[in-house]
Amino acid sequence: MEPIQTAIRVVPLEHYVILASALFCIGILGVLFRRNTIIILMCIELMLNSVTLLLAAFSAYHSDPAGQVFVFFIMVVAAAEVAVGLAILVMMKRNIDSIDINLLNRLKW
Amino acid sequence: MQFMFYLLALVALLSAAMVVFSRSPISSVIHLVVCFLAIAGHYILLNAQFLAVVQIIVYTGAIMVLFLFVIMLLNLNTTNEPHKSMLTKVSALIAGGLLFLVLLASFRGANDIVAAHPYDAKIGLVKSLGMVLFREYLLPFEISSVLFISAMVGAVLLGKRDTVKKS
């Protein structure tokens, strides 16, 4: 078992940046690509997770615990956001009997 | 170590792509769970043990189960969802790919970002994170509880059936 100082930081930080931006772009692609509201909510979760992964990576590479505390706060906000978003989705299904995002375009222009 | 990183990255990217492209919402949720578990593995590789546990409990345990409940209770697991037009799909692919390219290009010119700080193995543990959370970030922590209360009230209010007749 190698000591932890050498076990960590062997992956260059740029690779974490590339991975997080790829995950973020997949999330954006999903938001633009699908019409199902629940998939769009899941893609927003994916984007939040890519950002938290990047924050945790920077925090570990800089030895600064503040980044991980912010990841914790982002998780708190994400949980609240999902609760309200799913409640809106339930209401949408009840009122217009569909979860198609293209039907909700009255605020568009 | 490095092999684990690339394996987990591959799993995360593939399952994230499957979230977008799979047909039924249930399989999207399952793939998102796999993606979040891979991200929890990344946290363990970064020695952020508290974050890994919170990720598994909160995300894959609570949030994704909430998604599954909503899909099953509203009977949303239909595969014949109306799709966007081909033009919109192609432009979405182009937009996502271009954004990725722009991000990559902007990070390419960045300076070497690894700082010279000595490595501190304890920052991801529960004890040190708790110290930081309850000393420096006590006010945001309390405010987040207010946020939770308001989100709970909002969710209950939105989910309640309308009893007042619309005039």
Side-chain angles (χ1 to χ4, degrees), chain B residues 13-143:
Chain B
L13 285 177
L14 281 184
S15 53
M18 284 302 291
V19 170
V20 177
F21 295 115
S22 72
R23 289 203 166 269
S24 84
I26 292 279
S27 71
S28 280
V29 171
I30 302 296
H31 283 113
L32 197 55
V33 167
V34 173
C35 182
F36 285 170
L37 285 178
I39 291 178
H42 278 299
Y43 288 155
I44 292 175
L45 284 188
L46 287 168
N47 204 21
Q49 304 165 10
F50 174 70
L51 285 186
V53 173
V54 168
Q55 169 92 7
I56 290 176
I57 292 176
V58 172
Y59 267 108
T60 64
I63 293 183
M64 298 328 287
V65 170
L66 202 61
F67 272 106
L68 273 183
F69 267 7
V70 167
I71 289 177
M72 288 181 175
L73 287 179
L74 294 185
N75 201 10
L76 297 179
N77 197 20
T78 51
T79 51
N80 52 358
E81 162 203 346
H83 277 277
K84 287 200 171 176
S85 65
M86 210 57 205
L87 181 67
T88 319
K89 279 186 175 178
V90 171
S91 50
L93 272 174
I94 291 174
L98 277 182
L99 180 69
F100 185 53
L101 274 185
V102 168
L103 282 177
L104 275 191
S106 66
F107 293 138
R108 198 163 195 77
N111 293 324
D112 195 12
I113 27 191
V114 177
H117 295 288
Y119 181 65
D120 183 6
K122 288 204 208 70
I123 62 159
L125 304 189
V126 180
K127 190 176 173 187
S128 59
L129 266 191
M131 286 294 184
V132 177
L133 186 61
F134 289 113
R135 279 189 181 150
E136 294 167 39
Y137 293 94
L138 185 60
L139 183 64
F141 183 76
E142 297 294 336
I143 291 176

Side-chain angles (χ1 to χ4, degrees), chain A residues 7-10 15-17 25 28 32 34-36 38-39 45 49 52 62-63 66 68 75 78 88 94, chain B residues 1 5-6 20 22 36 43 47 54-55 59 71 81-84 99 107 113 117-120 124 137 159:
Chain A
I8 231 148
R9 289 180 173 176
V10 289
H15 291 191
Y16 277 105
V17 174
C25 290
I28 283 187
L32 296 174
R34 298 293 295 257
R35 285 172 72 173
N36 198 338
I38 207 159
I39 308 255
E45 290 304 304
N49 255 283
T52 57
H62 281 248
S63 295
Q68 306 200 357
M75 283 179 183
I88 290 176
R94 191 184 293 148
Chain B
M1 184 62 199
F5 171 79
Y6 294 114
V20 177
S22 72
F36 285 170
Y43 288 155
N47 204 21
V54 168
Q55 169 92 7
Y59 267 108
I71 289 177
E81 162 203 346
H83 277 277
K84 287 200 171 176
L99 180 69
F107 293 138
I113 27 191
H117 295 288
Y119 181 65
D120 183 6
Y137 293 94

Side-chain angles (χ1 to χ4, degrees), chain A residues 17-33:
Chain A
V17 174
I18 292 171
L19 170 67
S21 43
L23 279 176
F24 191 83
C25 290
I26 290 175
I28 283 187
L29 174 66
V31 170
L32 296 174
F33 200 82

